């Protein structure tokens, strides 16, 4: 066993070379290249060199120009590069041509992201979704011979389904796709049943969203005081996790953490993870977590807001949480309403809860009711679904004020009330 562990730890890291092409209308190109480097490192690679090129359009045969190919080829040999990673989606033809001229494995940004998702998937559903996305991406690429179809060495870009499946013919892959889609349909139905129960519950529902590595899992742990996997890496959380918490007294809420968003998320994955993201579609409030210390945080904000619009979730009430303020320099918030904090500070939990409660009050309607001692048991029940101001039963009759959602207003009917 000890020998086996030594072999694992001694495994050679892949040495990779990154390539990016900036067109005249390319936006956030520098940020995208930085992100590609982080993605490659997350996948376990050592980034040896980065090459960029400005072009009017991508080369239809090889994506980059022949001059750039001639410049890169000797570097691949001299620096013992194992893999070339291109910062765009390659066509099957471009992929095959680049592998032929370079003589090593070439993958694109999409394959790299799919590979990281394969590493990160924990649940049965998550693994199925990644497998499906990889198979759909692989299908049109089973044309040439060469490196693409003989990756017996494995490594980045070949995790998940496994090397043997790269050799399968299209009919077999289509059969697998159909089978996985059938399994996912069943999982989605089960998820829908659970979600319906949750939606019909009285608990206030909060969803955590944000760019990958913004600190959503850390915020979840701060609010719930329970451990959720958190790390300074991309896509640390893939599977939607829902936990219960009490924001004040017995006022119930659920908190759902979701997969991190990213620029140019492969369409295969957006489709595959729709059910996971849909966990946040039925919430009462979205907490949009942003890494305030990231120099590209404004671009990250835009990416998240665009994806929300694409998912028709743009109209859900939103509270922005600027996280990692302890690391931020000269920071100016751009989204409102917001709270700025460091999840690591001692007051983070208290600060966050206070602002969430203030936001809940703006979404609820205020009320005032007269309660006598015989109705005390009803007040305890009301405490679960309404935000009650402090009250004290010194006399037989007490006026209780608070805030309640429009959907739950009818629960005040048993009291003498005046909504205002």
């Amino acid at each position: 066993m000890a020998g086996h562990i030594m072999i694992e730890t001694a495994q050679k890291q892949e040495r990779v070379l990154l390539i990016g092409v900036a067109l005249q209308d390319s936006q956030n190109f520098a940020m995208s290249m930085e992100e590609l480097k982080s993605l490659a490192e997350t996948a376990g690679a050592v980034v040896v060199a980065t090459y960029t090129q400005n072009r009017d359009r991508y080369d239809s045969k090889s994506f980059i120009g022949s001059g750039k190919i001639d410049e890169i080829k000797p570097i691949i040999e001299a620096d013992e590069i194992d893999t070339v990673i291109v910062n765009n989606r390659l066509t099957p033809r471009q992929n095959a041509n680049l592998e032929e001229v370079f003589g090593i494995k070439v993958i694109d940004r999409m394959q790299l992201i799919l590979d990281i998702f394969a590493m990160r998937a924990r649940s049965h559903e998550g693994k199925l979704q990644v497998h499906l996305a990889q198979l759909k991406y692989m299908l049109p690429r089973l044309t040439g011979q060469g490196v693409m179809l003989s990756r017996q060495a494995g490594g980045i870009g070949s995790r998940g389904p496994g090397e043997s499946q790269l050799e399968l013919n299209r009919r077999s892959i289509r059969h697998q796709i159909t089978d996985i889609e059938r399994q996912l349909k069943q999982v989605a139905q089960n998820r829908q049943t659970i979600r319906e129960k949750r939606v019909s519950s009285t608990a206030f529902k909060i969803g955590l969203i944000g760019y990958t590595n913004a600190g959503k899992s850390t915020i979840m742990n701060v609010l719930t005081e329970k451990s959720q996997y958190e790390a300074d890496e991309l896509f640390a959380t893939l599977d939607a996790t829902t936990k219960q918490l009490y924001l004040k007294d017995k006022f119930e809420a659920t908190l759902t953490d979701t997969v991190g968003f990213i620029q140019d998320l492969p369409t295969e994955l957006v489709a595959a993870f729709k059910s996971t993201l849909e966990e946040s579609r039925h919430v009462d409030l979205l907490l949009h977590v942003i890494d305030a210390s990231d120099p590209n945080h404004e671009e990250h904000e835009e990416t998240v807001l665009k994806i929300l619009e694409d998912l028709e979730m743009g109209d859900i009430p939103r509270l922005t949480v600027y996280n990692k303020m302890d690391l931020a320099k000269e920071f100016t918030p751009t989204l409102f309403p917001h709270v700025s904090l460091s999840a690591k500070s001692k007051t983070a939990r208290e600060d966050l809860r206070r602002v969430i409660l203030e936001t809940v009050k703006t979404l609820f309607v205020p009320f005032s009711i007269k309660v006598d001692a015989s109705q005390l048991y009803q007040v305890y029940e009301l405490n679960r679904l309404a935000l009650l101001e402090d009250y004290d039963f010194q006399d037989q009759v007490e006026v209780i004020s608070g805030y309640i959602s429009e959907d739950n207003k009818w629960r005040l009917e048993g009291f003498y009330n005046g909504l205002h």
Side-chain angles (χ1 to χ4, degrees):
M1 191 58 139
H4 175 68
I5 292 169
M6 283 173 69
I7 291 167
E8 286 292 317
T9 52
Q11 192 174 14
K12 179 177 166 284
Q13 279 187 292
E14 267 180 80
R15 293 169 62 80
V16 304
L17 180 145
L18 308 181
I19 297 176
V21 173
L23 301 182
Q24 286 179 340
D25 61 348
S26 290
Q27 291 183 324
N28 307 326
F29 178 69
M31 173 187 124
S32 186
M33 288 303 295
E34 280 174 38
E35 203 166 76
L36 186 71
K37 184 173 185 285
S38 297
L39 287 165
E41 288 167 350
T42 297
V46 176
V47 177
V48 178
T50 300
Y51 283 84
T52 59
Q53 186 179 30
N54 295 314
R55 289 181 66 89
D56 293 331
R57 58 188 175 85
Y58 304 129
D59 186 277
S60 59
K61 288 182 182 175
S62 58
F63 186 71
I64 53 174
S66 55
K68 188 59 74 173
I69 287 174
D70 292 340
E71 188 183 331
I72 292 171
K73 273 174 79 171
I75 304 299
I76 286 173
E77 202 167 319
D79 287 345
E80 298 179 337
I81 303 295
D82 302 301
T83 306
V84 168
I85 304 176
V86 179
N87 191 31
N88 298 73
R89 181 185 283 263
L90 294 173
T91 65
R93 183 188 182 197
Q94 289 168 336
N95 213 138
N97 288 343
L98 282 175
E99 289 196 330
E100 194 175 334
V101 293
F102 290 146
I104 59 171
K105 181 174 66 179
V106 175
I107 65 171
D108 62 18
R109 183 186 180 94
M110 312 308 156
Q111 285 167 281
L112 179 59
I113 293 172
L114 287 168
D115 191 73
I116 295 168
F117 270 56
M119 287 165 61
R120 295 275 182 264
R122 302 273 189 274
S123 71
H124 175 60
E125 182 185 11
K127 287 173 182 173
L128 281 175
Q129 286 171 327
V130 175
H131 195 157
L132 178 64
Q134 285 181 311
L135 289 171
K136 282 185 173 177
Y137 196 81
M138 199 190 298
L139 189 57
R141 286 162 171 73
L142 293 182
T143 49
Q145 297 302 311
V147 184
M148 188 72 192
L149 286 181
S150 58
R151 292 186 184 165
Q152 298 310 318
I156 297 167
S158 60
R159 275 180 280 238
E163 294 81 26
S164 62
Q165 285 174 338
L166 290 167
E167 308 290 344
L168 291 174
N169 61 31
R170 289 181 171 193
R171 189 188 303 173
S172 174
I173 287 188
R174 284 198 184 104
H175 176 74
Q176 284 184 75
I177 287 171
T178 305
D179 185 53
I180 292 173
E181 282 176 339
R182 181 186 54 75
Q183 290 183 60
L184 279 172
K185 203 171 181 181
Q186 185 59 52
V187 172
Q189 284 172 351
N190 296 343
R191 184 190 281 277
Q192 181 65 23
T193 306
I194 294 165
R195 190 189 294 126
E196 281 168 4
K197 283 181 185 172
R198 200 181 296 139
V199 168
S200 64
S201 78
T202 55
F204 185 82
K205 289 166 283 296
I206 303 170
L208 278 166
I209 54 154
Y211 211 77
T212 184
N213 203 27
K216 295 187 299 300
S217 296
T218 311
I219 293 291
M220 186 169 204
N221 291 344
V222 166
L223 280 170
T224 61
E225 297 181 306
K226 291 173 185 172
S227 180
Q228 161 88 339
Y229 181 73
E230 58 178 84
D232 184 19
E233 55 192 25
L234 303 178
F235 305 121
T237 305
L238 275 194
D239 302 304
T241 309
T242 299
K243 291 178 181 175
Q244 186 185 42
L245 72 151
Y246 295 99
L247 285 171
K248 180 188 176 188
D249 299 331
K250 289 294 174 189
F251 180 69
E252 269 187 309
T254 59
L255 188 62
T256 301
D257 191 7
T258 55
V259 62
F261 298 170
I262 193 169
Q263 228 194 347
D264 306 323
L265 190 67
T267 50
E268 290 86 354
L269 273 180
V270 171
F273 277 80
K274 206 170 177 190
S275 62
T276 311
L277 293 170
E278 275 181 352
E279 283 294 296
S280 291
R281 192 189 286 273
H282 304 278
V283 298
D284 301 300
L285 176 68
L286 286 172
L287 289 189
H288 179 186
V289 184
I290 295 167
D291 177 356
S293 69
D294 193 305
N296 299 307
H297 71 267
E298 287 189 30
E299 286 88 347
H300 294 177
E301 288 172 12
E302 287 170 19
T303 299
V304 171
L305 296 179
K306 184 182 181 305
I307 294 173
L308 283 179
E309 288 297 330
D310 292 346
L311 291 169
E312 298 176 356
M313 291 166 60
D315 58 345
I316 298 173
R318 203 164 49 239
L319 171 64
T320 301
V321 180
Y322 287 109
N323 187 27
K324 307 187 186 181
M325 286 300 292
D326 53 321
L327 305 173
K329 294 169 186 168
E330 296 179 13
F331 176 76
T332 307
T334 50
L335 297 179
F336 299 87
H338 68 257
V339 57
S340 302
L341 51 81
S342 165
K344 292 179 180 175
S345 76
K346 289 178 181 176
T347 61
R349 186 164 182 262
E350 196 180 309
D351 294 343
L352 199 48
R353 285 184 172 230
R354 188 187 71 252
V355 179
I356 291 172
L357 283 168
E358 285 169 10
T359 308
V360 173
K361 286 178 184 178
T362 66
L363 302 175
F364 281 12
V365 290
F367 71 88
S368 181
I369 53 174
K370 282 184 179 177
V371 181
D372 63 40
S374 67
Q375 293 176 303
L376 195 56
Y377 74 96
Q378 287 174 272
V379 175
Y380 290 132
E381 180 62 26
L382 195 60
N383 216 341
R384 286 179 51 236
L385 49 95
L387 284 174
L388 302 185
E389 305 292 2
D390 293 336
Y391 59 89
D392 184 14
F393 269 92
Q394 294 292 334
D395 305 311
Q396 285 297 304
V397 177
E398 180 72 40
V399 174
I400 296 177
S401 300
Y403 299 83
I404 195 164
S405 70
E406 284 281 355
D407 291 345
N408 284 322
K409 259 192 335 191
W410 64 273
R411 295 173 187 271
L412 301 173
E413 287 170 6
F415 305 96
Y416 176 78
N417 66 77
L419 287 164
H420 55 267

